[in-house]
Amino acid sequence: MEDLLPELCDRYEDDVRILEPMFGNFGGRERFSGKIVTIKAFEDNSLVREQVALPGEGRVLVVDSGGSMRRAMLGDMLAEKAVKNGWSGIVIYGCIRDVNAIGDLDLGVQALGCHPLKTEKKGAGELNVALRFGGVDFIPGEYLYADNNGLLVSEKELVID
């Protein structure tokens, strides 16, 4: 499998925003892309649970947990639900858990790290708001591309022949 991000950067350098290196690739799908859906929620994955239960339609869920390294915003059960409902990938600016099980799923998952403790469920958070971390703005409806080389965002869908 060819490396997607270097190819996209070579072809569309002026059209992409590249995230600072900070994420690890934890999912069984190393290369993923799709339209962005955003969640901003600190140590509460209630909205993540709600979104992965909806049809993903090949989209990517981007979750800003404030970079928290104290709780996991995604575990195997929610990741399995995301696969079942057609999500392409999930990016967590925070932690995940159940990394071995998630690694076996056909889902792209990138996160800062892993932590075994689940979040509290308070129903807090915001859906489809602009996010900013790693030097990049994540705007709902724009496109995210990820592989083992990193992560980038573009206003438009990018095509590789």
Side-chain angles (χ1 to χ4, degrees):
M1 177 184 294
E2 72 180 56
D3 290 316
L4 176 65
L5 266 58
E7 188 74 25
L8 290 174
C9 287
D10 290 351
R11 186 167 295 181
Y12 298 102
E13 183 176 353
D14 295 334
D15 297 318
V16 298
R17 304 185 305 268
I18 303 166
L19 187 78
E20 296 167 358
M22 61 175 58
F23 284 97
N25 212 345
F26 293 95
R29 185 184 295 179
E30 293 181 351
R31 175 179 166 172
F32 61 98
S33 63
K35 276 191 175 183
I36 296 171
V37 174
T38 65
I39 292 174
K40 184 176 183 81
F42 184 72
E43 297 182 358
D44 181 343
N45 71 351
S46 300
L47 283 177
V48 175
R49 177 179 301 280
E50 289 176 16
Q51 287 303 298
V52 299
L54 299 173
E57 301 168 338
R59 294 175 296 171
V60 176
L61 188 60
V62 179
V63 181
D64 181 351
S65 181
S68 173
M69 302 300 282
R70 302 183 316 179
R71 293 189 180 256
M73 293 293 286
L74 180 73
D76 61 340
M77 291 189 298
L78 295 185
E80 287 173 8
K81 197 172 284 195
V83 171
K84 178 183 171 196
N85 289 317
W87 289 85
S88 174
I90 301 175
V91 174
I92 306 278
Y93 184 52
C95 290
I96 67 164
R97 67 187 208 161
D98 304 316
V99 296
N100 293 332
I102 288 174
D104 290 337
L105 297 175
D106 184 23
L107 180 70
V109 177
Q110 290 202 13
L112 294 178
C114 55
H115 196 286
L117 184 62
K118 66 182 177 179
T119 68
E120 296 184 64
K121 310 291 186 283
K122 299 178 184 176
E126 299 174 86
L127 178 65
N128 279 328
V129 295
L131 305 176
R132 181 167 181 83
F133 55 84
V136 170
D137 292 318
F138 296 86
I139 310 297
E142 291 190 348
Y143 293 86
L144 181 141
Y145 299 85
D147 69 10
N148 286 326
N149 294 285
L151 188 151
L152 62 81
V153 175
S154 175
E155 291 180 19
K156 62 183 182 178
E157 189 171 14
L158 307 176
V159 179
I160 297 292
D161 305 325

